[in-house]
Amino acid sequence: MTNRVLALYLHIPWCVTRCIYCDFNTYVGGEDTLKARYHVALQREIREAGAALGHPPLDTIFFGGGTPTTLPPGQLVELVETVKAAFALRPDAEVTVEANPGTLSLVDLRELRQGGVNRLSLGVQSFNNDELRFLSRLHDADAARRAVEQARAAGFDNLSLDLIFNLPQQTLAQWQFNLQEALRLLPDHLSLYSLIVEPGTRLHRQVDEGHIPAPDDDVAADMYASAIDTLAGAGYVHYEISNWARGNGETDWQTPRLASAHNLIYWRNQPYLGLGAGAFGTVNGERWMNVKRPQDYIRRIERGKRRLGAARDEKTYEQIDRDTAMSEHMLLGLRLVREGVSAAEFSACFNILLQERYNEAINRGLERDLLEWIEPPTGLRLRLTRQGRFLANRVMVEFMA
Ligand code: SF4
């Protein structure tokens, strides 16, 4: 039997240092021997997952972390090869690697590009060296500019940059400077995130102890508004709450061609597989996360259970019931601020009209001008209004099971 999974996420759980705001499943350092064992275990998990699922077609691979480039490029390329042998990777599949400026040479970038990686997502975060130091990033602004130049020279024609806004004491002018510097580099895609104070992070402790002011929501809204307007003026299409892609003549409701194909699979609530320590996925109505610590992950895979989910953390396993699936379909789909949620697809998936299932939530959103119906040639769709993009959490809560 062939199962439907469209996307494969591979987690590489190491970083050189830990950023002040980071709550991801990542570990500083990592001995070479541990990384080598991890690489072998991950290859094995890929092979076993491909076999267990019947070698299904795959549209995307995404190497995330951590910092995937803490593994040598040759090992990342070997992982791509392993995926090709275990799954039916489509010839035009999107293969993304997240990388930090300063962690890759031109030679490394060429090796990745020639090895089948065709999209690079660079964690630039800021073009202000004081802000970069505050975030505990290892690179400076020039290293970010160099990384973009080298990625282009290596043949990457699909390049995404991440930026963070609403840093303590960051002014609107400083944020606009970061946006303009990013635009000067002509990225194909931009992901912009407001700084979040996650529990357990150094940032959280420092805010708690009063050393750093908590981020201000009104300032965040002003910065977000300035990003929406600036990027629209520069020809970028805002297609997801935090993501923009260079436009190519798409009409008002269409997601641009340069949107992240991998993340679209998440937002369209389609099945994906996550492999590696702490990775999670959802396949055939089941969802789980692998154990988080690399050592535990390796041990589970080496123990040789030879089945899908051999490294899963049992506490995280769940079967997704219909109400949860419907709610998640809305929470994810409404993030897509252009295409929104198709009424026809919703009723085909769940056998109930969208307008019937979420009548109250939709009416409240329409009354407050946070939601709107649009009717492109593909049929009725529900999406956030411009105002709704600023108050997305308030809208989403209405759709929770
Ligand atoms: S580089 Fe990314 S994953 Fe690594 S510590 Fe910084 S934010 Fe976390």
Side-chain angles (χ1 to χ4, degrees):
M1 185 180 104
T2 300
N3 293 263
R4 197 163 164 263
V5 282
L6 300 174
L8 176 61
Y9 173 83
L10 298 174
H11 192 74
I12 311 298
W14 289 285
C15 287
V16 180
T17 56
R18 187 177 268 275
C19 301
I20 190 170
Y21 55 92
C22 180
D23 74 336
F24 299 139
N25 182 39
T26 188
Y27 304 85
V28 172
E31 299 295 317
D32 285 349
T33 48
L34 180 67
K35 286 182 183 163
R37 281 176 62 208
Y38 185 83
H39 182 248
V40 171
L42 187 52
Q43 283 181 298
R44 182 162 160 186
E45 195 187 20
I46 293 168
R47 282 190 209 105
E48 287 168 7
L53 292 168
H55 311 285
L58 266 191
D59 290 352
T60 67
I61 308 175
F62 192 101
F63 288 91
T67 306
T69 47
T70 50
L71 290 189
Q75 288 194 2
L76 296 175
V77 170
E78 270 181 63
L79 290 169
V80 174
E81 290 303 316
T82 308
V83 174
K84 281 184 185 167
F87 292 81
L89 187 68
R90 296 192 197 280
D92 59 347
E94 178 190 274
V95 182
T96 304
V97 167
E98 281 183 339
N100 289 328
T103 61
L104 286 169
S105 67
L106 180 57
V107 173
D108 295 336
L109 286 160
R110 285 205 171 114
E111 189 173 350
L112 287 178
R113 184 68 196 91
Q114 282 159 15
V117 177
N118 53 26
R119 185 171 184 272
L120 203 65
S121 172
L122 281 174
V124 169
Q125 317 309 0
S126 168
F127 288 92
N128 174 315
N129 288 340
D130 290 335
E131 291 176 0
L132 287 167
R133 266 191 297 276
F134 165 76
L135 294 170
S136 352
R137 305 295 295 194
L138 287 175
H139 65 274
D140 61 16
D142 282 340
R145 294 185 188 99
R146 251 190 332 270
V148 171
E149 222 171 85
Q150 292 187 332
R152 294 300 194 196
F156 282 96
D157 59 4
N158 194 349
L159 189 62
S160 180
L161 307 183
D162 284 7
L163 294 178
I164 298 181
F165 61 95
N166 200 20
L167 308 188
Q169 271 125 36
Q170 186 182 43
T171 63
L172 189 55
Q174 283 165 336
W175 167 237
Q176 277 166 344
F177 168 81
N178 285 341
L179 277 176
Q180 293 300 342
E181 286 301 291
L183 289 175
R184 270 159 40 102
L185 298 171
L186 304 174
D188 305 290
H189 186 276
L190 282 157
S191 299
L192 311 181
Y193 302 106
S194 178
L195 183 68
I196 305 285
V197 182
E198 298 286 0
T201 60
R202 270 190 294 136
L203 180 62
H204 192 271
R205 276 196 300 282
Q206 297 200 20
V207 169
D208 241 18
E209 290 165 9
H211 304 305
I212 294 176
D216 180 321
D217 288 348
D218 292 337
V219 176
D222 289 346
M223 291 184 176
Y224 187 57
S226 86
I228 291 175
D229 294 337
T230 303
L231 296 184
Y236 286 81
V237 174
H238 190 193
Y239 72 94
E240 194 270 348
I241 287 177
S242 305
N243 287 278
W244 284 256
R246 212 154 30 77
N248 191 22
E250 293 84 3
T251 49
D252 165 62
W253 65 276
Q254 282 175 321
T255 293
R257 188 182 59 81
L258 284 165
S260 160
H262 184 83
N263 288 335
L264 278 177
I265 288 169
Y266 298 162
W267 296 318
R268 288 176 178 155
N269 201 21
Q270 293 170 324
Y272 62 93
L273 192 60
L275 304 179
F280 61 91
T282 151
V283 179
N284 295 337
E286 296 175 293
R287 170 167 44 213
W288 67 89
M289 187 170 88
N290 275 347
V291 288
K292 283 186 160 182
R293 283 183 67 238
Q295 292 87 338
D296 296 338
Y297 167 78
I298 294 167
R299 228 170 285 129
R300 296 276 187 109
I301 298 290
E302 285 178 350
R303 222 183 279 156
K305 294 228 165 125
R306 296 202 175 276
R307 61 170 170 80
L308 183 64
R312 86 181 178 205
D313 178 347
E314 295 303 333
K315 292 191 295 295
T316 66
Y317 174 81
E318 60 176 320
Q319 282 187 320
I320 305 166
D321 62 46
R322 185 164 171 268
D323 274 339
T324 306
M326 283 192 283
S327 169
E328 288 180 355
H329 192 88
M330 298 308 296
L331 302 191
L332 291 164
L334 287 174
R335 295 191 63 93
L336 291 168
V337 297
R338 302 233 333 159
E339 66 177 53
V341 176
S342 153
E345 278 169 29
F346 185 91
S347 52
C349 275
F350 301 111
N351 218 10
I352 183 170
L353 287 178
L354 172 57
Q355 298 88 320
E356 192 183 319
R357 175 64 182 86
Y358 290 114
N359 181 32
E360 281 178 30
I362 293 172
N363 283 339
R364 261 195 298 273
L366 295 172
E367 277 160 22
R368 294 174 190 166
D369 193 26
L370 301 176
L371 286 173
E372 64 184 2
W373 287 109
I374 54 165
E375 195 158 12
T378 53
L380 203 59
R381 311 185 80 94
L382 183 71
R383 69 178 185 186
L384 294 174
T385 59
R386 177 179 163 116
Q387 201 182 327
R389 298 176 195 188
F390 291 79
L391 298 169
N393 289 346
R394 210 176 286 177
V395 179
M396 307 295 189
V397 106
E398 303 272 352
F399 289 89
M400 284 164 81

